[in-house]
Amino acid sequence: MKQLYKYVLIILPWLYVGPISAQQGVIIINGTIVDEQSKPLDFVTVKLLNTDRLTYTNDKGKFSFAINSSVLKQITISATIVGKVSSDTTINLNDYQKSITIRLKTLNLSLNEVQVSAVRKSTGLSNSSILFDRQAIEQVQAFSLVDVLNNLPGKTYAALDLQGAKNLTLRSDATGNSSLNNALGTAIIIDGLVQSNNANMQNKNIGKYGLETINDRANGRSYDVTFGGVDLREIPADNIENIEIISGVAPAQYGDLTDGAVIINRQAGKTDFQFNTRFNGGSTNVSLSKGFKLNGKLGSLNANLNYLNSNDDPRDLLKKYKRVSGGLMWTGYFTKGVKNTISFDFSEKLDDAKEDPDDGKDLMTYSKNRRFAFSERLSAEINGKFLRRINLSIGADISSTESYTQWWLSGSPKPTADKDTTGVYEGFYTDGNFNAIDQIVGKPINVNANLSFLNQFNTGKIKHFLSIGGSFSLSSNKGQGVLFDSKRPRWAGRNSQNERPYNFELIPSLINTGAYIEDKFSFKLFSKVFDVSAGLRYDNQNGFGTLQPRINSSYAIAKDLKVNMAYGIATKAPTMAYRYPSPTYFDIPLLNYFTGNAKTDLFLVYTQKYTPDNRDLKPSKSTQFELGLNWNKKNFSTSIFGYFKNNTDGFYAQQTYYPMVIPIYDITPNPGGKPEYFDTGNTRINVKLDANVIKNGVTSENYGVEWFISTKKIKAIQSSFSFNSSFSLSNYHNVGFTVRPANEDDILAEKKAWYAIYESTGNRNWSLTSRLNSDTHIPKFGFVVSLYADMIWQQYLKNFDAFKYPMAYLDKNGNYYKIENFDAANPDYGHLLPLPSTKEGEGKLPFPYANLSLRLSKEIKKRIRLSINAYNFLNIQPNYYNTVTKKRTTYNNPTSVGAELSIKF
């Protein structure tokens, strides 16, 4: 913390020195933004690129900037608003005094230039951001955000699949717990507010099941994302204006993330009614949106509604996914220079799966989520001596969640224990035929707020854009929690672990706070411009404070060539599911005397309760370094970025043993009645009882190279091309250990080693993929043809060790013995077996393969657009038969065709 204070004390004087020099050479730049009919546009976001300066047009379309002409010899003004093509206008010093008029065109396919693919661009947030504007989003024909993000480097175009939860991972090929941590650390930020998953507790008992959620037992798919990131299926793309993906180093203003961010921006403004409908197999999606200009100075109001219904197989109704969402957004001015935006959003989803009723299992699974969200965003232009702008955002969301599974159990009566304290007591017997139920009811509540102060000043010939701010987040869950009916117990499973009710309302809230300071400045080095964005962030998460320096910089080594460098540290707090898992109960039968008569039955049980204490759980952490090169010419651009990202202290479930001393009881017969029982005074030791506990220990080293090439439209063929290739290598480690029991015969023979302890798991994954896009756009006919060719050159998985012998063992009393060098002849532990061997080529793709997909869009009179997309339209399905495993693998799914109709009125 002292380091943070020292940094602040160094930077704060700039707030006072700056205004003195900033007043020298000040010029007011005035402008007007209009539409194609020369009508003024209000609420247009106007930004000076590569700075933190932005403003908004008033009801007459006017805007102004006060700039220092002695430093800024040239400026580029970016103007964006919903429904219009964004415009970048460059102005030289000689034209500063002239009034500027910027004309924004309505988005349609009749324009000479349209952006139908994502672009890589250096923004004020990151050197290596990937941007999707509204036109590019519309071309995707997206049922949800998933379809848009499949266009990122390293991802492939995929057939529509809405029947399982979808997370996003960035710059990593690591699997298992590392993949979960990566998804959890990828922030989804909508309108400046994080879509938090911190209060999600829709998971099974961690002690018994580990990191497992209630899922569809028929196909193994999970519908909840408790331990990962936000479920991207729940975010529709129709009301999104633009998306920026930061897979590199995020600026210091963003906290509680380790693996990048997806920044989604929505804007309010006047638009036509727009109706969209999409079809693909058994999936249907419809949406309606409209932007209203209110009377006088009341601002603008946008409304949207979206409905999706998807069947796994249109021939039956056994698996469904439904989603309905909508919202209202109002933007207006409280007074000159003070812009306010208020948003109300709601969404509801239902994942529902049933097994064939003829199979007699009565299997049913569903996951429900109903969410209401509110956000308030305020931006005030101060333009004072010590302060230029204040940004404030406050958001809250409340959800009602329910996860449910039932299945029919039939068998003999089962002894049941239901006490929630440690001790010996009498249990009871339940009927062996009943519907066993898993049910979790939650009420996650998330509140977060961000406040920032911005100033602009100069120190000599260096211009600075200083930002200081803080953040606050609260996560709570007021749901009923885990529901349990002791007369219909779930399957006991291993180690006599049974469920108990767990009330989420009794769990404390999580509170995380953060503060940052960031300076963006430019200067000339050897007559070339050097841009730097340097910041320091401090977060307090779960009682742990961390300092996180971050820097993004670029140097123009030539007119069209820039070299980029970024470095940063970031952390992600443990969620409520990790921080407050439910207790673990061991129910040890002492006497099981069943006669079939409740008056004479006796089930005596000893219950041991363990309440996890995760107060020392640290935030996970990532350290990333990025180096890149950008070359931008008039007709094409290319970039190449290399990165190294080291993720440490990730969360995982560690198997832990609890040696337990069990009292021995006996009975005295009681003819015609329940037998009497008594403590013999003897005990026995049970070392077979184990449960999972949450630890920090997942690490991964991630290396990669991303290469982009894109061309402007070649007029002779009316086509543009883009190519990206991604190489990613990840080494995954788990600092925990793996435990395996000895064979039962060896235990009965009273051999010393009962359990073998193996070193932590680990593997290496790497992949090489490429994508070639061609976009043929004929403005005269409002027609676009896009061809996507995905090439998967190699995907490789290799375990670190071909053979793994135990490094230690436990005896029957739970004592730990280390094995220096494994000796199969050792009488104490030689009977312990190595883990199964892993062959050198296991997981290696046998050959490269490709997938070709096609999209067609035709616009009629700028009002109606018909689109068709075909995944794997040539139905390329190479397959490979593994002679060792005797299994055949087919690559690529069959051809999948979808269509979209969009109408503006």
Side-chain angles (χ1 to χ4, degrees):
M1 193 67 182
K2 292 181 179 180
Q3 298 179 40
L4 178 63
Y5 290 148
K6 181 179 179 181
Y7 190 87
V8 171
L9 289 174
I10 294 173
I11 299 297
L12 276 179
W14 293 1
L15 289 169
Y16 298 92
V17 175
I20 297 175
S21 58
Q23 302 306 308
Q24 302 172 7
V26 170
I27 291 179
I28 304 298
I29 293 180
N30 295 294
T32 305
I33 299 182
V34 298
D35 64 11
E36 292 156 303
Q37 287 75 42
S38 297
K39 295 180 180 179
L41 295 172
D42 55 356
F43 303 114
V44 178
T45 301
V46 188
K47 181 178 181 180
L48 295 183
L49 292 185
N50 299 319
T51 76
D52 262 345
R53 297 294 307 279
L54 66 82
T55 187
Y56 309 94
T57 57
N58 60 21
D59 58 337
K60 296 181 180 179
K62 303 289 186 181
F63 72 91
S64 64
F65 283 108
I67 67 168
N68 189 331
S69 61
S70 64
V71 177
L72 292 169
K73 304 298 183 182
Q74 186 184 75
I75 60 173
T76 299
I77 298 175
S78 173
T80 59
I81 191 173
V82 61
K84 303 292 182 181
V85 179
S86 300
S87 171
D88 292 344
T89 304
T90 300
I91 303 170
N92 295 313
L93 176 64
N94 296 335
D95 296 322
Y96 281 3
Q97 300 286 3
K98 299 177 182 179
S99 181
I100 304 162
T101 299
I102 298 174
R103 195 177 306 275
L104 299 184
K105 298 179 180 179
T106 302
L107 283 172
N108 60 72
L109 297 181
S110 298
L111 299 173
N112 287 329
E113 295 289 341
V114 296
Q115 184 65 52
V116 296
S117 296
V119 296
R120 166 151 274 171
K121 189 175 182 180
S122 178
T123 67
L125 299 180
S126 169
N127 290 332
S128 56
S129 288
I130 297 173
L131 304 177
F132 295 87
D133 66 8
R134 181 65 233 166
Q135 194 77 46
I137 295 170
E138 289 183 354
Q139 289 304 306
V140 174
Q141 304 163 33
F143 282 74
S144 70
L145 188 60
V146 176
D147 302 308
V148 179
L149 299 181
N150 279 341
N151 291 278
L152 292 173
K155 311 296 182 183
T156 56
Y157 192 60
L160 183 68
D161 180 10
L162 295 165
Q163 303 307 319
K166 295 292 188 296
N167 279 162
L168 173 68
T169 57
L170 295 173
R171 287 187 169 178
S172 177
D173 259 8
T175 56
N177 289 325
S178 185
S179 179
L180 279 177
N181 280 276
N182 186 296
L184 182 66
T186 302
I188 308 296
I189 302 170
I190 299 180
D191 301 333
L193 296 170
V194 177
Q195 307 303 290
S196 177
N197 205 35
N198 287 346
N200 188 342
M201 299 192 70
Q202 302 300 119
N203 60 279
K204 292 184 176 182
N205 185 292
I206 288 177
K208 182 176 180 180
Y209 298 100
L211 304 185
E212 184 177 332
T213 61
I214 291 179
N215 55 40
D216 179 9
R217 293 165 61 90
N219 59 33
R221 292 193 181 192
S222 177
Y223 307 144
D224 293 311
V225 288
T226 311
F227 303 109
V230 174
D231 188 352
L232 301 180
R233 297 176 304 162
E234 297 185 41
I235 303 177
D238 288 319
N239 62 334
I240 296 174
E241 184 62 18
N242 58 70
I243 304 171
E244 178 173 353
I245 294 90
I246 301 176
S247 52
V249 177
Q253 72 185 84
Y254 297 115
D256 204 32
L257 55 81
T258 52
D259 292 88
V262 177
I263 301 173
I264 298 171
N265 296 308
R266 305 179 301 175
Q267 297 186 49
K270 182 181 179 181
T271 63
D272 295 323
F273 276 102
Q274 181 160 341
F275 171 79
N276 294 317
T277 182
R278 303 176 184 89
F279 306 93
N280 191 312
S283 301
T284 303
N285 181 212
V286 294
S287 67
L288 180 66
S289 62
K290 168 65 178 172
F292 302 90
K293 175 69 186 312
L294 304 180
N295 292 332
K297 297 184 178 181
L298 295 180
S300 296
L301 179 69
N302 281 61
N304 68 86
L305 186 65
N306 191 291
Y307 173 75
L308 187 150
N309 185 11
S310 176
N311 291 340
D312 191 31
D313 186 338
R315 295 170 296 180
D316 60 53
L317 301 177
L318 295 182
K319 175 66 182 81
K320 278 188 175 183
Y321 171 75
K322 292 183 179 180
R323 181 198 72 208
V324 59
S325 61
L328 293 172
M329 179 185 294
W330 172 83
T331 296
Y333 288 107
F334 284 148
T335 185
K336 182 180 179 181
V338 181
K339 181 188 178 186
N340 189 63
T341 299
I342 299 175
S343 300
F344 295 93
D345 295 281
F346 77 92
S347 63
E348 184 169 2
K349 71 105 175 182
L350 173 64
D351 262 332
D352 191 7
K354 296 181 180 179
E355 197 172 89
D356 189 336
D358 295 331
D359 70 358
K361 295 181 180 179
D362 200 20
L363 183 65
M364 180 175 70
T365 303
Y366 64 74
S367 173
K368 298 179 181 179
N369 184 6
R370 180 178 296 159
R371 176 178 178 269
F372 295 91
F374 162 82
S375 68
E376 159 73 27
R377 289 174 287 155
L378 185 71
S379 178
E381 292 288 329
I382 305 300
N383 290 322
K385 290 184 178 181
F386 306 112
L387 188 61
R388 295 287 182 173
R389 190 169 80 248
I390 299 175
N391 292 329
L392 172 66
S393 60
I394 301 174
D397 65 74
I398 300 175
S399 300
S400 296
T401 59
E402 182 179 5
S403 305
Y404 180 94
T405 292
Q406 71 172 36
W407 64 100
W408 182 260
L409 295 180
S410 59
S412 59
K414 292 180 171 58
T416 304
D418 61 353
K419 301 296 183 182
D420 65 351
T421 57
T422 297
V424 177
Y425 59 96
E426 292 185 27
F428 57 93
Y429 290 88
T430 62
D431 182 10
N433 300 290
F434 56 86
N435 252 330
I437 294 174
D438 268 328
Q439 188 174 13
I440 306 169
V441 177
K443 191 176 182 180
I445 301 172
N446 294 287
V447 178
N448 58 81
N450 302 284
L451 178 64
S452 62
F453 302 92
L454 299 97
N455 189 33
Q456 173 192 344
F457 58 90
N458 306 319
T459 55
K461 294 184 178 181
I462 301 177
K463 59 179 182 289
H464 299 269
F465 301 92
L466 183 68
S467 173
I468 297 177
S471 61
F472 168 87
S473 70
L474 180 146
S475 300
S476 183
N477 198 313
K478 301 303 179 183
Q480 294 175 267
V482 179
L483 305 183
F484 173 76
D485 183 353
S486 59
K487 294 182 179 179
R488 296 191 298 174
R490 302 166 193 173
W491 194 258
R494 61 185 181 86
N495 293 338
S496 301
Q497 292 187 43
N498 290 292
E499 299 292 340
R500 301 292 194 278
Y502 185 49
N503 191 342
F504 295 162
E505 294 179 291
L506 304 179
I507 301 174
S509 300
L510 291 181
I511 296 178
N512 297 317
T513 58
Y516 78 93
I517 184 168
E518 188 165 52
D519 184 25
K520 296 180 181 180
F521 56 93
S522 300
F523 60 92
K524 287 193 174 181
L525 180 65
F526 304 114
S527 73
K528 305 295 183 182
V529 177
F530 195 6
D531 293 314
V532 179
S533 175
L536 183 67
R537 183 174 183 88
Y538 175 84
D539 277 314
N540 189 302
Q541 301 162 308
N542 199 30
F544 290 87
T546 54
L547 285 173
Q548 304 162 43
R550 302 179 194 174
I551 183 170
N552 279 275
S553 63
S554 66
Y555 181 61
I557 57 179
K559 180 180 178 181
D560 303 313
L561 188 62
K562 284 187 177 181
V563 61
N564 305 280
M565 188 278 290
Y567 170 82
I569 295 174
T571 60
K572 176 69 183 79
T575 66
M576 292 187 70
Y578 286 127
R579 181 67 176 83
Y580 303 113
S582 56
T584 296
Y585 296 87
F586 295 108
D587 297 320
I588 313 300
L590 301 177
L591 296 172
N592 191 350
Y593 187 80
F594 178 72
T595 65
N597 185 340
K599 294 182 179 181
T600 59
D601 291 341
L602 173 65
F603 174 56
L604 192 68
V605 61
Y606 172 68
T607 291
Q608 179 72 49
K609 176 182 179 181
Y610 286 99
T611 301
D613 181 7
N614 290 343
R615 72 183 70 181
D616 295 329
L617 201 60
K618 297 183 292 185
S620 60
K621 181 179 179 181
S622 74
T623 303
Q624 185 169 187
F625 176 78
E626 177 185 81
L627 187 64
L629 199 64
N630 291 84
W631 188 26
N632 294 305
K633 300 295 289 183
K634 181 178 179 180
N635 295 319
F636 80 95
S637 63
T638 184
S639 66
I640 185 167
F641 282 84
Y643 63 86
F644 167 69
K645 181 171 62 174
N646 186 32
N647 290 61
T648 58
D649 290 329
F651 312 116
Y652 77 105
Q654 171 65 61
Q655 184 184 27
T656 303
Y657 280 83
Y658 297 87
M660 191 179 301
V661 178
I662 309 298
I664 297 176
Y665 278 71
D666 205 347
I667 62 171
T668 299
N670 181 17
K674 185 175 294 187
E676 296 180 359
Y677 56 88
F678 59 92
D679 188 345
T680 65
N682 298 321
T683 61
R684 60 186 175 88
I685 296 178
N686 190 335
V687 297
K688 297 182 179 181
L689 303 175
D690 68 290
N692 298 291
V693 296
I694 299 299
K695 298 285 188 180
N696 293 108
V698 173
T699 67
S700 64
E701 299 93 34
N702 306 280
Y703 308 82
V705 178
E706 298 170 349
W707 181 28
F708 267 71
I709 302 176
S710 62
T711 70
K712 298 290 184 181
K713 182 191 287 188
I714 302 171
K715 293 185 178 180
I717 57 175
Q718 295 289 298
S719 298
S720 60
F721 300 89
S722 64
F723 171 83
N724 74 71
S725 195
S726 173
F727 170 78
S728 175
L729 183 149
S730 297
N731 292 326
Y732 162 77
H733 305 273
N734 189 330
V735 299
F737 49 84
T738 301
V739 181
R740 293 288 185 271
N743 290 327
E744 185 175 350
D745 292 341
D746 293 319
I747 293 176
L748 293 176
E750 297 186 353
K751 293 188 177 180
K752 187 174 182 180
W754 279 27
Y755 288 93
I757 299 178
Y758 302 87
E759 291 182 358
S760 61
T761 58
N763 54 54
R764 171 172 294 164
N765 294 266
W766 66 268
S767 65
L768 177 61
T769 62
S770 299
R771 171 176 289 183
L772 175 64
N773 291 13
S774 70
D775 298 310
T776 301
H777 171 224
I778 306 174
K780 183 178 180 179
F781 301 108
F783 185 62
V784 175
V785 179
S786 299
L787 180 65
Y788 302 83
D790 287 319
M791 191 70 192
I792 295 83
W793 301 102
Q794 186 55 265
Q795 293 175 333
Y796 186 78
L797 166 65
K798 178 181 182 292
N799 288 339
F800 286 138
D801 297 302
F803 295 91
K804 298 188 68 175
Y805 289 92
M807 65 175 186
Y809 67 88
L810 299 175
D811 65 13
K812 66 179 180 179
N813 297 314
N815 296 316
Y816 179 93
Y817 297 89
K818 187 175 181 179
I819 301 174
E820 296 292 346
N821 294 295
F822 185 84
D823 180 7
N826 188 292
D828 292 335
Y829 62 78
H831 57 283
L832 300 177
L833 300 175
L835 290 177
S837 64
T838 302
K839 295 187 176 181
E840 179 74 16
E842 183 178 347
K844 184 177 181 181
L845 190 68
F847 46 72
Y849 68 96
N851 174 36
L852 299 178
S853 301
L854 184 69
R855 291 175 185 158
L856 306 175
S857 295
K858 174 69 175 75
E859 196 168 68
I860 303 171
K861 295 184 178 180
K862 302 180 183 179
R863 293 288 180 178
I864 301 175
R865 189 179 74 247
L866 177 64
S867 304
I868 298 174
N869 66 81
Y871 162 82
N872 190 16
F873 73 96
L874 295 181
N875 200 28
I876 301 172
Q877 291 186 273
N879 61 81
Y880 172 74
Y881 180 75
N882 190 315
T883 57
V884 176
T885 63
K886 308 299 182 183
K887 293 182 179 180
R888 183 174 297 277
T889 303
T890 300
Y891 303 93
N892 291 334
N893 290 319
T895 300
S896 173
V897 179
E900 178 184 43
L901 175 65
S902 177
I903 304 174
K904 295 180 181 179
F905 56 94

